[in-house]
Amino acid sequence: MGTCQPPPLSRVLVANRGEIAVRIIRTLRLQGVASVAVYSDADRTAAHVRAADVAVRIGPDPVALSYLDADSVIAAALATRADAIHPGYGFLSERADFAEQVEAAGLAFVGPTAEQLRVFGDKHLSRQLAEAAGVPVLAGSEPVHGVEDARVAAASVGYPVMLKSTGGGGGIGMAPVLEPGALDAAFASVVRSAGANFDSTGVIVERLVRNARHVEVQAFGDGAGRVVTLGDRDCSIQRRRQKVIEESPAPALPPDARLALRDAARALLESVEYRSAGTVEFVVDADDASFFFLEVNARLQVEHPVTELVTGVDLVDWMVRLAGGDASFLDGGDREPVGHAVEARIYAEDPVHGYRPHSGLLTRVAFPGDVRVDTWVETGTEVTTHYDPLLAKVVAGGADRAAAWDGLRAALDATDLSGIETNVRFLRALLEPGLLRDGALGDGVATTTTLERLAPHTDAVDVLEPGTLTTVQSYPGRIGFWDVGIPPSGPMDDLSHRLGNAILGNAADAAGLEATLTGPTLQFRADAVVCVTGAPCVPEVDGAARPMWEPFDVPAGATLAIGPI
């Protein structure tokens, strides 16, 4: 995905972090354009900082004092003589006031116009634009500012309904309400979330499509009325309205519905002479393929790689070239997808415990080399709690959907992120034949609630009590490093360790836990067979004693307590 001619921009500041910042910087390098990275204290050694030509510190760890500090970002651009700012996604990317500040400073904003960000950032205004452009919209209300008004609006629309903040996006500030008794709590939750994330407490009430798919159309406009589409994507596999797996093109869409979706997206964006990359999102009723306008994401989307894989287009390249005044690449019109692509998002989170975010040191990071991986992490990266838990996107393509899914499954098998909890094992389970692929996804009709009906599976063990000096040991351990000052390691009681493995039928060098004085208390997430050897103790499974020196079962969800020696 190269370029014919580099754009007349000499230096671009990337107002972001993580994998998208790395992605933009790499594209700029291919164009021969210098890059400027900005970073917080937590990111001072991050991948995007090391990849850029110039890096500028803009503040401490909290986003409000660094990546959301518009004045500091613009000051960094001016100080480094950048002539444009690319916001990526998240952070300042959809802030109309930021786009205005950028252009007022004499810099190019690599994205839509400030007015487009403003109208599409307001769900009520964007609904009005969609209606005016002839795009189907769900029955809904004017913005309501109190729970009493919300009750009246919901009764008028008819239950079930969806409460949505008028500002923001990304699944934040939304709550389904199935019956009137649940409305008060849902309204309070949406207002609280919207106020914290978008500085907006307006709420609209829309009809809820129970069996809904999330389908979107990628588009690009030249800012003068010409808009081209680049196929569609299905993003229905979500957890808590946050996307997990995306694919392009959207499977199992009737040809006339697919064409109508693209025409509707183009009509809406043409009506405002849209500039740069944008995505028009729709709710598609899985029962009859009818569709309704959801929102416009006036920025680059996280899932843009699947579109790039099937169209051969580099969307970042297009954005930068347009910001430099070159729109010749749009002369070819709409881009039709060839083949299929699917993407899995890897998060630092624990699916078993409500997708709770995790942080810490990544002690090993390994990705396959035969698929596209957009990431910012490597062995030794410290993942903090200050930012989004997205670690990487693994993207596989193929001649058809089956080949793409097989490729993604193989890629995830070859992926290793150790040191913190991630959703990699959960993703592998989702791609196993017989679950999503041959069940809810076998016919391509996953809905936005599909994952809610699937229990995450992992073979991990939770440490409830660590015991005294409990360590992971294997025989013979780490030996042969005295010359660099590392003494031999391994089990203190290596005979008991080896006998335990023999009893279980494990390899002789399989790792086990060795404790001193008091053993650990462990909760198993999957069925396991355990053997306790060594000094005398009384192992208990959910309070029931088990024998030493014999294998015994520990069912999924059960707790094994070793206790005192």
Side-chain angles (χ1 to χ4, degrees), residues 316-383:
V316 174
D317 172 80
W318 278 20
M319 294 177 75
V320 175
R321 291 173 66 185
L322 182 67
D326 175 18
S328 60
F329 50 85
L330 294 178
D331 293 343
D334 291 348
R335 302 300 197 269
E336 288 298 322
V338 176
H340 202 91
V342 60
E343 169 186 293
R345 301 190 190 190
I346 297 178
Y347 291 103
E349 65 182 13
D350 183 358
V352 173
H353 291 111
Y355 304 99
R356 180 174 60 200
H358 268 238
S359 61
L361 181 69
L362 284 166
T363 56
R364 173 174 165 77
V365 174
F367 292 107
D370 56 350
V371 298
R372 174 171 172 172
V373 178
D374 287 9
T375 187
W376 63 279
V377 298
E378 58 192 353
T379 299
T381 296
E382 183 79 28
V383 179

Side-chain angles (χ1 to χ4, degrees), residues 182-557:
L183 187 136
D184 288 20
F187 185 85
S189 173
V190 169
V191 169
R192 183 169 57 250
S193 177
N197 290 281
F198 313 126
D199 194 27
S200 169
T201 57
V203 175
I204 60 175
V205 181
E206 281 187 347
R207 179 172 73 85
L208 175 67
V209 178
R210 285 184 179 270
N211 202 18
R213 297 177 62 185
H214 186 141
V215 178
E216 56 192 34
V217 176
Q218 177 69 61
F220 200 100
D222 65 359
R226 179 170 52 168
V227 173
V228 301
T229 63
L230 297 94
D232 46 66
R233 301 185 287 253
D234 189 296
C235 308
S236 301
I237 305 176
Q238 307 175 2
R239 47 82 169 141
R240 297 185 304 188
R241 292 179 294 281
Q242 295 294 306
K243 300 166 185 174
V244 177
I245 296 176
E246 303 103 344
E247 55 186 317
S248 179
L253 270 184
D256 56 342
R258 193 184 305 278
L259 182 61
L261 280 165
R262 297 182 190 180
D263 288 345
R266 186 187 304 104
L268 173 57
L269 297 185
E270 284 178 345
S271 71
V272 297
E273 297 187 340
Y274 189 81
R275 184 182 77 184
S276 197
T279 299
V280 185
E281 302 195 350
F282 297 91
V283 172
V284 176
D285 193 321
D287 295 328
D288 60 11
S290 59
F291 66 88
F292 307 92
F293 173 74
L294 180 61
E295 64 181 353
V296 171
N297 276 280
R299 55 171 168 80
L300 193 66
Q301 287 277 81
V302 178
E303 59 272 20
H304 74 274
V306 292
T307 292
E308 294 187 331
L309 212 59
V310 295
T311 62
V313 168
D314 185 330
L315 286 166
V316 174
D317 172 80
W318 278 20
M319 294 177 75
V320 175
R321 291 173 66 185
L322 182 67
D326 175 18
S328 60
F329 50 85
L330 294 178
D331 293 343
D334 291 348
R335 302 300 197 269
E336 288 298 322
V338 176
H340 202 91
V342 60
E343 169 186 293
R345 301 190 190 190
I346 297 178
Y347 291 103
E349 65 182 13
D350 183 358
V352 173
H353 291 111
Y355 304 99
R356 180 174 60 200
H358 268 238
S359 61
L361 181 69
L362 284 166
T363 56
R364 173 174 165 77
V365 174
F367 292 107
D370 56 350
V371 298
R372 174 171 172 172
V373 178
D374 287 9
T375 187
W376 63 279
V377 298
E378 58 192 353
T379 299
T381 296
E382 183 79 28
V383 179
T384 76
T385 58
H386 294 290
Y387 312 116
D388 186 273
L390 180 64
L391 301 179
K393 299 178 300 193
V394 179
V395 194
D400 54 29
R401 187 168 185 254
W405 277 69
D406 286 341
L408 181 60
R409 180 68 174 88
L412 290 174
D413 282 343
T415 296
D416 183 6
L417 288 93
S418 301
I420 65 174
E421 191 70 31
T422 72
N423 67 333
V424 171
R425 284 174 294 193
F426 179 48
L427 291 170
R428 290 175 186 153
L430 292 181
L431 270 70
E432 285 284 2
L435 188 60
L436 284 179
R437 295 178 60 178
D438 298 333
L441 274 190
D443 53 4
V445 289
T447 70
T448 55
T449 60
T450 293
L451 285 194
E452 295 176 9
R453 303 190 296 272
L454 298 174
H457 172 80
T458 176
D459 56 3
V461 178
D462 289 322
V463 179
L464 305 183
E465 296 289 342
T468 305
L469 294 177
T470 302
T471 56
V472 179
Q473 298 290 351
S474 61
Y475 179 82
R478 186 172 53 193
I479 58 177
F481 296 99
W482 263 122
D483 57 331
V484 291
I486 300 175
S489 63
M492 184 67 70
D493 182 357
D494 64 87
L495 178 59
S496 294
H497 186 282
R498 285 180 287 154
L499 287 172
N501 273 329
I503 292 168
L504 289 169
N506 289 343
D509 60 352
L513 296 181
E514 186 174 63
T516 305
L517 297 179
T518 304
T521 300
L522 311 170
Q523 186 173 44
F524 288 70
R525 299 188 188 178
D527 294 340
V529 181
V530 173
C531 185
V532 179
T533 62
C537 62
V538 182
E540 294 182 348
V541 176
D542 287 345
R546 293 291 187 268
M548 291 186 65
W549 300 98
E550 296 180 19
F552 57 84
D553 294 329
V554 181

